[in-house]
Amino acid sequence: MTKLIAGNWKMFKGQREAAVFCRELRDAELPADVDVVVCPPFPSLALAVQALAGTEIGVFAQNCHWAAEGAFTGEVSAPMLQELGVYGTLVGHSERRQWFGETDDLVARRVSACLEAGLHVIACVGETEAERDAGETHTVLRRQLAALEADDNLVVAYEPVWAIGTGRTATPETAEEAHERIKELLDVPVLYGGSVKPENAAELLAQPAVDGALVGGASLELASFAAICRAAAVAATV
Ligand code: PGA
């Protein structure tokens, strides 16, 4: 099965840097048998769409509101993103949950409205270190997934919070186990996220229930992002 590699730029790369990166990405000759997506911050979306036009690389936002318009200061809507040519969005990233009060309810509202509007969605779930240590990983995943429904345009990203930006990656076995659990609850493709790098991508992506990766830090440099995409293409053939 074709693997999906999504680069989550977080709050990095304004227009100027995004333009340079997307042009390089365009010329990087990524393998054809991997699906590639970048998630720039809002101000860089239009430019990324423009720079990647005519390629197979999709542009996703990092968040999206459930209403089409309204008095929601600081939010953007699916129709606004679609007007720019944006193909999908992340929803419920742990940094949104941790710093911006995003709850399971809000995440579910965003996910279903975005899907209904025609966007593709990568919905993020994952336990904190304390939750894992307390043996609550499955309970947390079940709670986070409870309000979501399977959809052809929905992908889940399993991102254990203790592995995000820490350099501590889940072992392939830990990731595989969590992915299997998620797939029992929701029949959708599942990406792994949390310190994915060229050095660990191959063994993570070789796991049968790992359908791709959501990459933060290593997606900001072309060399490491392209290496992860190549590892995904190889993993898909075995
Ligand atoms: P990381 O981030 O690869 O830098 O750990 C992943 C993410 O937060 O999506």
Side-chain angles (χ1 to χ4, degrees):
M1 188 186 150
T2 309
K3 307 257 181 188
L4 167 63
I5 303 298
N8 173 15
W9 295 1
K10 309 194 178 187
M11 202 171 69
F12 293 96
K13 296 193 193 296
Q15 290 212 69
R16 196 147 16 113
E17 274 182 71
V20 173
F21 184 90
C22 289
R23 274 198 297 273
E24 288 175 357
L25 192 59
R26 219 192 144 103
D27 297 339
E29 294 181 13
L30 299 176
D33 41 359
V34 54
D35 292 329
V36 180
V37 154
V38 291
C39 314
F42 290 129
S44 304
L45 284 171
L47 206 138
V49 168
Q50 225 174 15
L52 296 170
T55 73
E56 294 291 314
I57 302 167
V59 177
F60 275 43
Q62 297 175 13
N63 194 17
C64 181
H65 198 263
W66 54 85
E69 59 183 4
F72 299 107
T73 303
E75 293 281 331
V76 303
S77 73
M80 290 174 185
L81 294 173
Q82 287 164 315
E83 198 180 344
L84 288 180
V86 169
Y87 192 70
T89 185
L90 302 179
V91 174
H93 189 278
S94 69
E95 285 149 17
R96 303 278 337 149
R97 296 175 188 262
Q98 184 179 357
W99 302 111
F100 304 101
E102 203 79 56
T103 61
D104 294 330
D105 260 13
L106 292 183
V107 170
R109 279 179 86 171
R110 291 184 194 275
V111 169
S112 57
C114 289
L115 289 169
E116 208 165 304
L119 284 174
H120 287 243
V121 173
I122 300 175
C124 306
V125 298
E127 79 288 357
T128 63
E129 186 164 32
E131 288 164 341
R132 174 161 285 268
D133 290 348
E136 291 168 0
T137 299
H138 290 172
T139 315
V140 170
L141 293 176
R142 200 176 321 114
R143 192 198 70 221
Q144 291 176 333
L145 293 166
L148 304 185
E149 281 171 38
D151 187 289
D152 285 349
N153 293 340
L154 176 64
V155 168
V156 163
Y158 169 61
E159 298 203 301
V161 178
W162 46 271
I164 296 179
T166 58
R168 275 180 68 198
T169 320
T171 63
E173 295 71 30
T174 304
E176 177 69 8
E177 199 265 332
H179 284 222
E180 282 171 1
R181 183 80 192 126
I182 291 168
K183 284 167 185 275
E184 282 165 23
L185 298 166
L186 202 64
D187 187 18
V188 295
V190 182
L191 312 181
Y192 169 77
S195 299
V196 175
K197 300 181 186 64
E199 302 80 58
N200 58 28
E203 57 171 359
L204 285 161
L205 290 162
Q207 302 300 310
V210 176
D211 300 307
L214 180 55
V215 186
S219 74
L220 296 173
E221 298 291 334
L222 183 69
S224 47
F225 190 56
I228 293 167
C229 293
R230 284 193 293 272
V234 172
T237 62
V238 280

